[in-house]
Amino acid sequence: MSQNIEYMFGIVGIPVTEIAIAAQAAGIKYVGMRNEQAACYAASAVGYLTGRPGVCLVVSGPGFLHTLGGMANATINCWPLIVIGGSSDRNQETMGAFQEFPQVEAGRLYNKLSVRPSSLEVIPAVIEKAVRTSMYGRPGSCYIDIPGDFVNLQVNKSSVKYTECCLPPPISMAEHSAVSKAASVIALSQQPLLIIGKGAAYSHAENNVRKLVDLCGLPFLPTPMAKGVVPDNHPNCVAAARSTALQHADVIILLGARLNWILHFGLPPRYRQDVKVIQIDICAEELGNNVRPAATLLGDINAVTEQLLEEFNRRSWKYPSNSEWWQKLREKIKNNEERSKGLALQKSLPMNYYTVFHHIRELIPKDCILVSEGANTMDIGRTMLPNFYPRQRLDAGTFGTMGVGLGFAIAAAMVARDRTSGRRVVCIEGDSAFGFAGMEVETICRYNLPILIIVVNNNGIYTGLDANSWEQILKFGDLATCVPPVSLLPNAHYEKIMSAFGGKGYFVKTPEELQNALKASVADKQTPSLINVMIDPQSERKKQEFPWLTRSNL
């Protein structure tokens, strides 16, 4: 507690059960999960939502190994996380001890810091360094290894090296010359585009970013988890014209976003050959990745945005709202929104993705925290479900990790219960994505977290088979050689998992059934619920100007 750690997620066993008990005694909230990966995802989401790392506590060997995905996901997403793993007794090293594994060495690949305290006396200092390292600079995961024989040893309190709570991360600002250069490049642009990344959300830059958009009249495009930094319904949001905006912008301002696969590496043909890129990032090593930037601003996103605001206030510059660029973007937005609306209002059964998301959008609370994962489910949901507040969308993220959904939802519900008067958490999953961590439904019910899970069920991965096609395949005999690899069992009743643990489950096939289930679930603010929505197994996203995933020509 001396480091202001509030939440711990994990699975206890030899040798860490006593650590969980001691953490509760110290006032830390412990949430027992059903899988170490989900526990690690939950702890990392706490880091993103609060700015202070959550802790994942796991047993040795296999328990530690199951957290590697969560560690990597946190580090690549730039979220603070602490993993504490039990390990075999020190005096049994190299002897083939129970669950013996080189955990410190293995953890170095996935963490900013991977360390085993040399004695009980230094544990507080090691924890302070891990917490500090997880938050400072570009945030990420840190691992602390606790040998089994440490857990029940006694120590003289006077010899313990206690440390004070580490200070919040220092706020760095860009050089004035870099700010001035960036402002000059923006002021000379004909077709500017501001790309808001989740780094802006993490740095709580929403107020300054909103002021910058309004002051300069810039069209903006949020990356998935930056949705809500400026509300999606802001007139300058061009998310509905994403491909056009990226392809034709002559100046791009990257505000806490990276030119990775999500933004097609910043390269043609997704971008102009002569596009000028202004990079604003807290990590110096990120500046210049994949492109030669026209200007680089190193520093905290919120602080640097305030510097840009001051510069543009002096210049009194604003991009004209009647420009040809704005006309082109607005026309594309109108066309794309009409196409999506046409798909959403189709009356045919089974429903398609757009129909389902249309009704979800109409009935869920506007201030809810949205958790989303899956392939089409996540991508179409991103375009159909608006966000109006920052840090209220959690998805597969930079690492494209499937299986994060329920862990994220549990973390979000815990934080919401303590900090936002119980703001609702709506977790929208593909049926394949739900399968990665479906047993965490029991965790949700055990802690009575009023999470609404919506499984958009197409009987498969990307696409599936209907019941009739499945029956035909069964006649061929060996399912392992006949069932398409993308197929899952048709019409699986996932809602029964929720009802088995005391929550409410709904199986719906029509828009009317979906509306009724949504209304009942939203109205019940005390009980977890799961709506299993059957859609056309062949339903897909509308044709895109550019595929979402940039691939080589090999």
Side-chain angles (χ1 to χ4, degrees):
M1 284 295 287
S2 64
Q3 298 303 320
N4 288 340
I5 299 299
E6 296 182 66
Y7 303 97
M8 178 181 286
F9 304 82
I11 299 179
V12 297
I14 297 172
V16 300
T17 302
E18 291 85 352
I19 296 176
I21 295 170
Q24 285 182 316
I28 294 174
K29 295 179 180 180
Y30 175 81
V31 179
M33 306 284 282
R34 300 303 300 265
N35 180 278
E36 289 93 352
Q37 273 194 352
C40 206
Y41 295 143
S44 68
V46 162
Y48 173 65
L49 293 169
T50 70
R52 205 80 184 176
V55 174
C56 178
L57 177 69
V58 295
V59 300
S60 52
F64 163 83
L65 286 171
H66 291 168
T67 68
L68 295 182
M71 293 179 191
N73 189 68
T75 298
I76 291 174
N77 267 335
C78 310
W79 292 356
L81 166 70
I82 303 294
V83 176
I84 298 176
S87 60
S88 51
D89 293 2
R90 291 171 298 167
N91 63 0
Q92 295 177 352
E93 283 190 9
T94 74
M95 297 175 64
F98 175 67
Q99 295 182 335
E100 183 178 358
F101 191 78
Q103 294 172 192
V104 176
E105 293 84 348
R108 288 197 175 102
L109 186 61
Y110 306 91
N111 295 278
K112 294 181 69 179
L113 176 71
S114 186
V115 61
R116 171 188 281 187
S118 58
S119 66
L120 289 178
E121 287 82 358
V122 302
I123 286 178
V126 168
I127 289 175
E128 187 275 339
K129 182 172 183 177
V131 171
R132 175 163 40 88
T133 303
S134 75
M135 297 189 300
Y136 280 29
R138 172 172 279 177
S141 175
C142 293
Y143 173 66
I144 303 172
D145 193 74
I146 303 295
D149 55 306
F150 271 20
V151 176
N152 292 311
L153 284 178
Q154 293 186 348
V155 64
N156 189 330
K157 283 188 176 182
S158 62
S159 65
V160 175
K161 298 180 180 179
Y162 291 105
T163 57
E164 295 182 358
C165 182
C166 70
L167 296 172
I171 296 175
S172 56
M173 301 173 71
E175 295 180 0
H176 177 71
S177 60
V179 176
S180 180
K181 181 179 181 181
S184 296
V185 173
I186 296 169
L188 292 172
S189 64
Q190 300 298 310
Q191 299 181 168
L193 177 65
L194 174 66
I195 298 179
I196 304 172
K198 70 174 178 286
Y202 182 79
S203 68
H204 290 247
E206 53 268 18
N207 291 335
N208 281 332
V209 176
R210 175 70 180 265
K211 291 177 184 176
L212 182 67
V213 168
D214 291 337
L215 176 67
C216 297
L218 293 169
F220 73 89
L221 174 70
T223 60
M225 271 189 278
K227 282 164 62 69
V229 171
V230 181
D232 284 345
N233 61 354
H234 190 284
N236 287 36
C237 180
V238 297
R242 182 181 190 273
S243 294
T244 297
L246 293 177
Q247 190 178 14
H248 297 288
D250 65 347
V251 171
I252 287 178
I253 307 104
L254 284 175
L255 199 60
R258 289 170 279 178
L259 288 176
N260 53 25
W261 66 274
I262 293 176
L263 291 175
H264 312 291
F265 312 111
L267 301 175
R270 271 61 168 179
Y271 296 78
R272 287 171 48 151
Q273 189 76 42
D274 62 346
V275 65
K276 294 179 180 178
V277 176
I278 297 168
Q279 284 186 284
I280 306 169
D281 204 284
I282 199 171
C283 178
E285 290 81 0
E286 188 62 37
L287 303 176
N289 271 357
N290 298 330
V291 298
R292 185 177 181 85
T296 58
L297 286 74
L298 177 65
D300 173 79
I301 302 301
N302 190 37
V304 175
T305 304
E306 189 166 353
Q307 289 180 279
L308 283 170
L309 273 171
E310 293 172 357
E311 183 71 22
F312 280 114
N313 272 318
R314 284 195 293 269
R315 294 176 181 236
S316 298
W317 176 86
K318 186 166 186 175
Y319 185 71
S321 61
N322 60 349
S323 66
E324 291 184 9
W325 178 228
W326 261 122
Q327 292 174 21
K328 183 174 186 175
L329 290 171
R330 290 181 182 126
E331 182 179 353
K332 191 67 175 179
I333 289 170
K334 181 180 178 182
N335 291 338
N336 284 342
E337 287 180 344
E338 287 177 352
R339 289 172 61 198
S340 295
K341 185 177 180 181
L343 290 167
L345 297 179
Q346 285 182 2
K347 301 294 185 182
S348 58
L349 293 176
M351 293 180 286
N352 63 39
Y353 283 104
Y354 294 88
T355 301
V356 170
F357 284 119
H358 168 75
H359 293 293
I360 293 173
R361 181 180 63 204
E362 295 299 311
L363 293 171
I364 62 173
K366 286 191 174 183
D367 65 347
C368 71
I369 300 173
L370 278 173
V371 180
S372 183
E373 68 169 328
N376 291 335
T377 299
M378 181 177 66
D379 295 330
I380 298 172
R382 184 177 68 238
T383 65
M384 293 286 292
L385 300 177
N387 286 85
F388 304 100
Y389 303 94
R391 294 170 298 282
Q392 289 189 203
R393 177 183 165 86
L394 298 163
D395 65 22
T398 309
F399 210 23
T401 309
M402 291 296 102
V404 296
L406 295 189
F408 282 2
I410 290 167
M414 292 293 295
V415 172
R417 177 182 283 180
D418 294 340
R419 300 188 178 207
T420 62
S421 302
R423 184 170 286 162
R424 292 302 296 273
V425 176
V426 178
C427 180
I428 304 174
E429 306 260 301
D431 50 327
S432 172
F434 178 75
F436 281 85
M439 276 302 294
E440 298 302 337
V441 167
E442 187 273 334
T443 308
I444 291 170
C445 291
R446 183 169 13 115
Y447 290 94
N448 196 32
L449 301 173
I451 297 169
L452 167 55
I453 301 171
I454 302 172
V455 177
V456 184
N457 189 348
N458 69 345
N459 301 336
I461 305 168
Y462 305 116
T463 59
L465 296 172
D466 59 34
N468 291 334
S469 300
W470 183 267
E471 290 297 327
Q472 292 299 316
I473 288 179
L474 292 180
K475 296 177 182 178
F476 287 97
D478 187 359
L479 296 181
T481 58
C482 297
V483 173
V486 296
S487 296
L488 299 173
L489 187 68
N491 301 325
H493 282 264
Y494 298 110
E495 78 285 352
K496 293 186 177 180
I497 299 176
M498 178 64 81
S499 58
F501 297 117
K504 293 183 178 178
Y506 304 87
F507 184 79
V508 305
K509 290 186 174 182
T510 68
E512 294 74 22
E513 291 174 345
L514 176 58
Q515 289 174 349
N516 292 335
L518 284 167
K519 290 175 182 176
S521 298
V522 170
D524 188 347
K525 299 180 180 180
Q526 305 299 322
T527 309
S529 56
L530 189 155
I531 304 174
N532 186 13
V533 187
M534 303 307 303
I535 67 168
D536 182 351
Q538 298 302 310
S539 177
E540 295 192 60
R541 71 192 82 187
K542 66 179 185 287
K543 187 176 179 181
Q544 297 172 291
E545 191 170 343
F546 283 111
W548 65 271
L549 180 61
T550 302
R551 306 186 73 93
S552 70
N553 294 320
L554 296 179

